[in-house]
Amino acid sequence: MDVVQQLAKVQDFAKNLRDARFGAIRHPGEFFDYQRVSRPKDMQEYMKRASYNIRYFSANYAIVIALLAVYSLLTNILLLFAGAFLIGGFIAINRFANEPFEFQGRTITPQNLYIALFVIGLPVLWWAAPLSTFFWLVGSSACVVGAHAGLLEPGVESEYAGLETV
């Protein structure tokens, strides 16, 4: 497969992704409309608001979660370094050492390089605490999305969301 065909596939994938997911992004003025923020009177109203808003603002919430993920990586530099080390190591071994080679009289295979990458990379990754970062991301995303979805009153169009056009 030549470069032109690969580039065409990447462009098609990007277009489909943009149309499917990012075509549903709501305007920031609508997403941050503080005049529609109010306290729900009970849990049933909260759940009704959250259910509608999560469907309506799903692309915006995906962006918020992605921004929180980037923030968590930028504040945990060791995790960012460990991930880059492991991914870069895999790419380098696949690209430059795909067959055995001689080094100071010893034959080094790609399997030896993968083992060395794991022996170095996995303890660094474990020390970087990816689980705590993951659970922080889950918790903070749930808090932000849950608060926004439950406190923002749905617009007038929500009353007509269940109706079908003939």
Side-chain angles (χ1 to χ4, degrees):
M1 183 179 283
D2 65 339
V3 176
V4 175
Q5 290 174 337
Q6 288 178 347
L7 186 60
K9 281 188 177 185
V10 169
Q11 288 175 339
D12 288 342
F13 177 75
K15 184 178 183 285
N16 291 338
L17 182 67
R18 184 182 66 235
D19 293 343
R21 196 64 173 145
F22 296 117
I25 294 176
R26 305 296 178 187
H27 190 271
E30 184 178 7
F31 186 70
F32 295 113
D33 188 6
Y34 63 90
Q35 294 174 347
R36 291 186 358 208
V37 172
S38 68
R39 182 175 171 221
K41 63 182 174 200
D42 57 6
M43 191 64 170
Q44 183 179 3
E45 184 181 354
Y46 173 85
M47 293 304 290
K48 183 179 174 186
R49 287 182 186 185
S51 175
Y52 176 77
N53 284 334
I54 286 174
R55 283 192 314 270
Y56 188 73
F57 291 115
S58 64
N60 295 67
Y61 291 143
I63 291 172
V64 168
I65 292 169
L67 290 173
L68 286 171
V70 168
Y71 173 78
S72 69
L73 281 177
L74 291 177
T75 56
N76 191 348
I77 298 297
L78 188 59
L79 180 62
L80 185 64
F81 171 75
F85 177 76
L86 286 169
I87 292 170
F90 277 117
I91 291 170
I93 291 170
N94 284 334
R95 182 167 291 169
F96 301 118
N98 52 4
E99 57 189 44
F101 62 92
E102 291 284 327
F103 182 72
Q104 293 185 351
R106 293 191 176 166
T107 303
I108 298 175
T109 64
Q111 290 80 12
N112 297 124
L113 294 174
Y114 283 122
I115 290 170
L117 181 66
F118 279 131
V119 166
I120 296 169
L122 289 181
V124 173
L125 183 66
W126 182 259
W127 193 34
L131 289 178
S132 66
T133 303
F134 172 76
F135 286 120
W136 177 87
L137 180 61
V138 169
S140 62
S141 298
C143 287
V144 170
V145 170
H148 183 272
L151 295 177
L152 188 71
E153 292 179 0
V156 178
E157 67 277 356
S158 70
E159 300 295 327
Y160 305 105
L163 299 177
E164 296 181 22
T165 58
V166 180

